[in-house]
Amino acid sequence: MEYIYLALIFVPIIAAAFVYLFNNNTFRKAIVFLMSAVLVVLMVFAILQGDREVKLSHSLSVALEYLITFADYFLLAVIFLIGIKLRNNLISLLAALQFVFMFVFEFRAGKLEVESVFYVDHLTFIMLMLINVIGVLISIFALSYMDEHEKHLHLEKSRQNVFFGVIMLFLGAMNGLVLSNNILWVYFFWEITTLCSFLLISHDQNEESIKNATRALLLNSVGGLSFVLGIIFMYYKSGAISLSEIIKSQDSAILMIPVAFLALAGFTKSAQFPFQSWLLGAMVAPTPVSALLHSSTMVKAGVYLILRLSPVYIDTWLSNIIAVLGAFTFVAAALLAIFQTNAKRILAYSTISNLGLIIALSSIANVYSIYAAALLIILHGVSKALLFLCVGSIEQGIGSRNIEDMDGIKYKMPLAAYLTLLGSISMLLLPFGVLITKWIAIEVSTQNIVAMLEIIFGSAFTVVFWTKFIGKILSDGKDTKRIEYFEALRHLPLMAISIFVIIVSAFMVQFTNVFVVPFFKSAFARFSGVSSRGLKELYIKDFFGFNPFVFFGILVVGIVTGVILYRLLRPKRYVRVYMSCENDDNFSFRAEKDKPVEFEFKNYYFDTLVRENNITLISNIISIALIAIMFGVILK
Amino acid sequence: MKEVYLILLTVVIAPIIGGLLSGIDRKITARMQNRFGPPILQPFYDLFKLFSKETIVVSNTQILYAFLFLVFNVVALVMFVLKMDLLLILFVLAFAVTALILGAISTNSPYSRIGAHRELISVLAYEPVLIAVIIGIYLVTGSFKVYDAIKYPGFLILDLPFIFIALTYVLTIKLRKSPFDLSTSHHAHQEIVKGITTEFAGPVLGLIELGHWYELVLLLLLIGLFFAKNIAVAIFAMVLCYFLEILIDNISARLTWRIMLKFTWSIALGLALVNLIWVYIKYRVL
């Protein structure tokens, strides 16, 4: 049955080639739908197979080995050439360094074969579900979005073949990344995602998008180099190059240095401070790209790697520092989100912040924190996909992504507005799961007092920026003309993702028991420190007495009561807002000679208190210092 | 079954206590200002009058937000009485404030929006301190549950004196009393326009008023938790703290939000932090 895993990687890649070669709208749609169906079915089959390490027949394994080694060097050469074309010597230098290190390493180490090609466990399942359900829904959404996007751009020749080709390649690479056992293969797929994100960010080919894509490529190349160093140290320290061996490795002390390098690679990919700028820049790309990068692909690869390696380094000094680093990104990004007026930037900072929380949770030695980390990967992926797609639709509708322009959006685009509301509420309030993970984060972080303080502040900042965001979505506006029209190809994926938002939160406990507990048991089996609470206790019925169904029940009862109450208190009279009786209507006041003058009220952005740039600068300095400390502690 | 009675009892008794307390507040305030003041039952008369009025709104959704503010406050109090997780109670309390803020933003009124944003700044100020208070309780008792804090054999105040001061400090912000009544002036004694509640009127304002009473009871119970070993001491402490709040309310003028943020984050959080560190060392390291 190993062909299922191979198909998960190669079906999207082959589909990508077809889409790229035949630039025909109908054909492209057919291929996207077909691939989506195939991927979902394959994913279900892969999950039904259960945990396994898969060996391939010798000849196939060797062939793949050669293919990937060759493709890897080819990829690095491509990045090198892109660097030259962009006149960015640093990118070329980083690519060349990776090329040379890799070549020398493979030449000297000789045979680097791994017996089991695929390592599939429950963490892989979590990632596969995210990639092949949410990723696929985003691609379907993109079909309609890109038609309109190109209409706005007035292109002579559609570039959608490139766009969808890269997106499919991206999905294939992500599947490869989470399935591979050989860390060299993981590295190869890692680099493909770097290249894909570069191509997607620069898709519109204007000056700004190319600039931002270049920055993304540069920062991710730093991560790539760190990854290569991690692999080399790993091999010389322990002789292991397969993930399964690394995780089972008995002596974690000697693995600290390679793990630190791999964690640094994870930081770059997950846009942690000080590498956050590439993800913010990535917003210039069409919205489906942002949705994809933020929810199911790219940034999740980084946290996946860190969570994957957590059995190796957990309960060491390294894990304490990584927890502090992750929690620092959580608080700094949440603080910066308060300053933003651009809806996409708010979402981007919130993503960075949540990824920081996932990293912090992955490295706190506690059963529940691992739970929460794995849960948050899914919850955040689903909610963020919804939010980005909605904000993208709103942007196309009103021509602005500034939340100050979103007054009255609930009248203009009701569906998009209320789904945005659902997405943001799911990030902030009970009974949705993201809050549960924040709660667990505070409870478990009492072991690490620095991380704890960061999480306390981050938690307060989170409330502030989400409340501002939700307030704008719900506020009245002068213009109430409806401009939204129903478009099946766009709305169906949106509705599907919204349903997932609710389902994932409602069945959180069941989800944990089915997917997270087995991952925990297999990966952390040998750690007495982490599992001291006893593995029996793992089958908790609920989180600390929290049962989502009870809370969903209360929510339903609350809404019903609210409706009844509304009937009782049904307003008999509507009035104008209070403006000392000097208002003309709700949006203007009477000035000289009773002439109406429109007034404007904007959210507070605290820009009079501190400058956003200063906070960014200070945060970058602190995070660089923390990374230096991380390496300082482990190098002996 | 016992729990059901407890819940019903809480839901009925809490607003009575809350209403009486605000009546006493008004009486004491009046005496401090050399006035005779309204009868102690005045808040109840006010509330009944509000509910007997015609519903007038700017936007329909306001009713929902006012209702949610009340519900979340009730839920938080019930969770406290059922001795559940303190952090979760704090989150639910935060939802209540969120509902109020959204209600104020939902209308296009400049006064209520300014009030809403000032309330947001208040959240920014007191939320970290409140979480720190709860973590302090956790470090001493080893549990986040109200149940374990009550069952704790000693007085929590002895281990957490600074944290207690920080709590009373942020209580002023949470109760929207001077010098931190930025978002809405308490009893309208400094301004005519009432900030965050400007656009609420009649029964809808009544819901918010009722919500405040539940909130008040919950916050005082939180104070009492520090003296839970002895009920009499706890009640005495709650009364004393409430009196102090009224006193401070009457002798201070309003500060700007910048000063509030600066003071809360430096003084209150600083105190809490120092206390947290020594408790951490005492119970976790040694």
Side-chain angles (χ1 to χ4, degrees):
Chain A
M1 296 315 283
E2 54 274 17
Y3 294 105
I4 295 175
Y5 307 118
L6 281 175
L8 272 169
I9 303 172
F10 286 104
V11 163
I13 296 179
I14 293 164
F18 274 105
V19 165
Y20 178 71
L21 290 174
F22 302 100
N23 193 1
N24 172 304
N25 217 337
T26 325
F27 176 75
R28 181 166 51 238
K29 280 182 181 147
I31 289 277
V32 169
F33 277 114
L34 191 65
M35 182 205 70
S36 307
V38 170
L39 277 186
V40 171
V41 171
L42 284 172
M43 175 211 71
V44 172
F45 270 110
I47 290 177
L48 290 178
Q49 297 296 311
D51 282 10
R52 25 193 320 181
E53 287 180 35
V54 181
K55 294 185 186 119
L56 293 181
S57 69
H58 185 68
S59 52
L60 188 59
S61 170
V62 171
L64 271 177
E65 197 77 55
Y66 275 111
L67 177 70
I68 287 184
T69 311
F70 174 75
D72 200 7
Y73 289 120
F74 178 71
L75 192 66
L76 287 171
V78 168
I79 294 178
F80 179 79
L81 290 176
I82 290 176
I84 290 187
K85 195 176 155 225
L86 294 169
R87 298 216 183 87
N88 192 322
N89 294 332
L90 212 47
I91 292 177
S92 301
L93 177 68
L94 286 167
L97 278 176
Q98 289 177 57
F99 193 101
V100 171
F101 282 156
M102 211 62 202
F103 190 77
V104 172
F105 168 62
E106 291 202 324
F107 188 75
R108 288 188 49 148
K111 234 166 139 325
L112 285 172
E113 252 179 67
V114 172
E115 214 180 330
S116 313
V117 174
F118 296 122
Y119 178 66
V120 185
D121 71 349
H122 278 72
L123 180 61
T124 317
F125 294 161
I126 294 173
M127 292 298 291
L128 282 179
M129 283 191 286
L130 199 59
I131 299 161
N132 296 302
V133 177
I134 302 302
V136 154
L137 284 170
I138 293 172
S139 342
I140 293 174
F141 177 91
L143 286 173
S144 123
Y145 186 94
M146 289 311 285
D147 281 344
E148 196 163 331
H149 184 73
E150 297 211 321
K151 240 184 267 168
H152 281 286
L153 290 179
H154 308 295
L155 293 182
E156 285 158 32
K157 188 168 168 285
S158 166
R159 293 191 67 241
Q160 286 194 48
N161 61 329
V162 182
F163 185 83
F164 282 95
V166 176
I167 282 202
M168 290 173 168
L169 179 64
F170 207 152
L171 292 181
M174 279 303 292
N175 279 334
L177 199 154
V178 299
L179 286 165
S180 299
N181 187 20
N182 188 334
I183 199 158
L184 291 167
W185 294 25
V186 177
Y187 166 71
F188 166 66
F189 290 117
W190 184 273
E191 286 300 295
I192 295 187
T193 61
T194 300
L195 183 68
C196 284
S197 66
F198 168 77
L199 292 172
L200 288 173
I201 297 169
S202 65
H203 179 76
D204 286 350
Q205 294 290 323
N206 52 35
E207 200 182 323
E208 194 192 4
S209 63
I210 290 176
K211 196 184 104 209
N212 288 333
T214 309
R215 191 189 307 142
L217 188 60
L218 177 66
L219 288 176
N220 278 300
S221 297
V222 174
L225 182 61
S226 179
F227 204 123
V228 171
L229 292 174
I231 293 174
I232 296 173
F233 274 111
M234 185 71 81
Y235 183 74
Y236 285 110
K237 288 268 178 191
S238 70
I241 53 159
S242 72
L243 281 174
S244 54
E245 260 181 84
I246 294 166
I247 295 167
K248 285 173 196 139
S249 166
Q250 289 300 313
D251 186 6
S252 53
I254 55 163
L255 289 171
M256 285 304 103
I257 298 171
V259 168
F261 276 110
L262 291 176
L264 184 64
F267 290 162
T268 57
K269 191 126 285 202
S270 288
Q272 297 294 291
F273 278 79
F275 306 106
Q276 81 284 17
S277 59
W278 78 259
L279 192 62
L280 295 164
M283 292 178 325
V284 297
T287 296
V289 174
S290 313
L292 207 60
L293 292 181
H294 283 264
S295 68
S296 55
T297 60
M298 201 65 180
V299 297
K300 288 289 153 65
V303 290
Y304 162 77
L305 187 70
I306 289 174
L307 186 56
R308 171 60 88 209
L309 292 173
S310 67
V312 181
Y313 68 85
I314 208 146
D315 231 356
T316 62
W317 262 103
L318 182 61
S319 78
N320 285 335
I321 295 169
I322 291 181
V324 170
L325 259 163
F328 178 75
T329 297
F330 175 63
V331 57
L335 174 61
L336 282 163
I338 295 177
F339 291 82
Q340 309 305 320
T341 52
N342 180 326
K344 275 189 158 183
R345 275 181 89 87
I346 297 176
L347 296 184
Y349 272 121
S350 140
T351 297
I352 296 168
S353 168
N354 272 304
L355 293 168
L357 190 60
I358 296 175
I359 289 173
L361 285 165
S362 308
S363 35
I364 292 174
N366 184 302
V367 178
Y368 296 112
S369 66
I370 304 294
Y371 272 21
L375 259 178
L376 193 53
I377 288 183
I378 281 276
L379 293 167
H380 172 260
V382 180
S383 300
K384 246 340 134 43
L386 179 64
L387 280 167
F388 266 103
L389 296 185
C390 286
V391 167
S393 301
I394 291 175
E395 187 188 347
Q396 276 192 343
I398 64 171
S400 164
R401 51 171 76 163
N402 189 327
I403 58 169
E404 293 298 342
D405 297 331
M406 288 187 192
D407 281 330
I409 196 73
K410 63 178 173 178
Y411 302 117
K412 286 189 227 167
M413 305 181 76
L415 187 70
Y418 284 109
L419 292 185
T420 312
L421 180 67
L422 173 70
S424 21
I425 285 180
S426 74
M427 300 291 292
L428 179 66
L429 300 181
L430 282 175
F432 296 97
V434 175
L435 185 91
I436 309 296
T437 57
K438 216 170 75 182
W439 174 27
I440 296 177
I442 296 177
E443 299 219 349
V444 298
S445 66
T446 43
Q447 313 194 351
N448 185 331
I449 203 157
V450 183
M452 178 187 80
L453 285 174
E454 291 168 339
I455 292 175
I456 289 177
F457 272 103
S459 176
F461 296 152
T462 313
V463 175
V464 173
F465 77 81
W466 278 120
T467 310
K468 277 189 348 182
F469 189 82
I470 296 173
K472 268 292 168 194
I473 299 292
L474 287 172
S475 63
D476 275 342
K478 189 166 190 177
D479 189 7
T480 55
K481 207 173 126 242
R482 194 182 161 128
I483 54 171
E484 191 176 48
Y485 55 96
F486 192 83
E487 197 179 344
L489 203 54
R490 169 172 304 188
H491 285 140
L492 290 181
L494 277 184
M495 297 307 277
I497 297 177
S498 323
I499 292 168
F500 279 122
V501 168
I502 295 171
I503 287 182
V504 172
S505 291
F507 293 94
M508 198 165 45
V509 176
Q510 287 79 357
F511 177 84
T512 326
N513 282 340
V514 174
F515 289 102
V516 185
V517 173
F519 156 64
F520 189 86
K521 282 185 124 175
S522 62
F524 290 88
R526 73 191 174 84
F527 276 93
S528 55
V530 176
S531 51
S532 60
R533 282 162 182 252
L535 282 174
K536 259 183 288 171
E537 226 183 292
L538 276 176
Y539 289 100
I540 43 162
K541 287 202 180 56
D542 43 29
F543 297 96
F544 314 105
F546 173 83
N547 185 339
F549 279 115
V550 172
F551 279 81
F552 270 103
I554 293 177
L555 191 73
V556 171
V557 171
I559 289 172
V560 171
T561 329
V563 169
I564 295 170
L565 198 82
Y566 175 69
R567 296 255 163 207
L568 287 175
L569 298 179
R570 184 198 288 281
K572 306 210 171 48
R573 204 145 57 87
Y574 289 87
V575 290
R576 301 267 157 86
V577 299
Y578 176 76
M579 281 189 56
S580 313
C581 303
E582 287 298 335
N583 44 338
D584 192 55
D585 58 12
N586 275 347
F587 305 94
S588 50
F589 58 89
R590 283 198 303 263
E592 196 185 351
K593 288 184 187 162
D594 281 357
K595 222 167 39 190
V597 175
E598 266 193 56
F599 66 82
E600 204 177 14
F601 184 84
K602 289 191 171 165
N603 281 351
Y604 281 20
Y605 293 101
F606 302 91
D607 35 10
T608 52
L609 193 66
V610 255
R611 296 263 301 281
E612 188 192 336
N613 291 345
N614 296 348
I615 299 182
T616 310
L617 182 67
I618 293 168
S619 306
N620 284 343
I621 291 170
I622 294 177
S623 53
I624 290 169
L626 283 171
I627 288 174
I629 291 170
M630 175 172 92
F631 280 98
V633 167
I634 49 151
L635 287 172
K636 278 187 189 144
Chain B
M1 209 54 212
K2 203 182 130 204
E3 281 180 351
V4 176
Y5 287 126
L6 200 60
I7 293 171
L8 286 175
L9 211 64
T10 314
V11 173
V12 175
I13 291 182
I16 298 176
I17 298 174
L20 281 175
L21 283 173
S22 46
I24 294 168
D25 177 0
R26 287 174 71 169
K27 194 87 186 170
I28 295 175
T29 301
R31 287 292 155 86
M32 284 177 183
Q33 295 165 352
N34 268 333
R35 291 187 284 119
F36 184 74
I40 285 179
L41 291 180
Q42 187 63 37
F44 295 101
Y45 304 147
D46 290 351
L47 192 73
F48 290 134
K49 190 174 173 190
L50 282 176
F51 276 117
S52 66
K53 285 191 167 192
E54 168 189 25
T55 312
I56 299 174
V57 291
V58 177
S59 129
N60 271 334
T61 47
Q62 281 180 293
I63 304 175
L64 179 67
Y65 293 120
F67 174 66
L68 283 178
F69 176 71
L70 172 66
V71 167
F72 282 131
N73 274 320
V74 174
V75 169
L77 183 64
V78 166
M79 287 170 75
F80 192 95
V81 173
L82 294 180
K83 306 187 183 107
M84 289 166 80
D85 191 293
L86 275 167
L87 263 181
L88 200 56
I89 294 170
L90 197 64
F91 284 144
V92 176
L93 213 53
F95 299 163
V97 177
T98 309
L100 192 60
I101 292 170
L102 291 178
I105 296 182
S106 73
T107 69
N108 201 41
S109 155
Y111 291 118
S112 75
R113 283 194 178 185
I114 287 174
H117 279 91
R118 286 180 169 182
E119 183 67 32
L120 260 182
I121 296 164
S122 308
V123 173
L124 205 55
Y126 67 69
E127 194 76 3
V129 181
L130 283 182
I131 298 180
V133 168
I134 285 164
I135 287 178
I137 295 177
Y138 168 81
L139 287 175
V140 175
T141 64
S143 156
F144 281 99
K145 294 232 157 54
V146 177
Y147 180 83
D148 296 302
I150 294 174
K151 281 278 169 306
Y152 188 69
F155 281 106
L156 279 174
I157 182 83
L158 297 177
D159 268 317
L160 305 167
F162 284 13
I163 279 189
F164 183 75
I165 298 170
L167 175 63
T168 47
Y169 191 104
V170 296
L171 203 63
T172 325
I173 310 176
K174 194 91 184 84
L175 293 175
R176 300 178 190 86
K177 282 186 178 292
S178 257
F180 301 129
D181 56 342
L182 294 150
S183 67
T184 173
S185 71
H186 185 63
H187 297 156
H189 62 183
Q190 287 181 346
E191 278 180 20
I192 294 171
V193 180
K194 237 178 149 288
I196 195 162
T197 47
T198 303
E199 295 303 333
F200 293 100
V204 187
L205 183 62
L207 292 175
I208 291 175
E209 201 57 35
L210 204 57
H212 280 310
W213 293 354
Y214 283 101
E215 192 184 22
L216 176 63
V217 173
L218 176 60
L219 292 172
L220 288 179
L221 283 178
L222 199 58
I223 296 263
L225 208 56
F226 283 79
F227 306 89
K229 191 187 170 195
N230 186 325
I231 302 243
V233 178
I235 291 174
F236 177 72
M238 287 191 256
V239 171
L240 189 69
C241 275
Y242 193 59
F243 179 75
L244 276 176
E245 291 298 339
I246 297 170
L247 187 67
I248 293 167
D249 187 26
N250 280 295
I251 58 173
S252 53
R254 181 178 307 153
L255 296 175
T256 66
W257 64 266
R258 284 201 185 86
I259 298 178
M260 175 180 75
L261 213 54
K262 220 185 284 171
F263 276 16
T264 319
W265 279 14
S266 54
I267 298 174
L269 205 70
L271 283 171
L273 195 61
V274 171
N275 204 158
L276 273 185
I277 290 171
W278 95 54
V279 172
Y280 181 80
I281 293 171
K282 193 167 165 188
Y283 290 100
R284 294 293 144 116
V285 180
L286 297 179

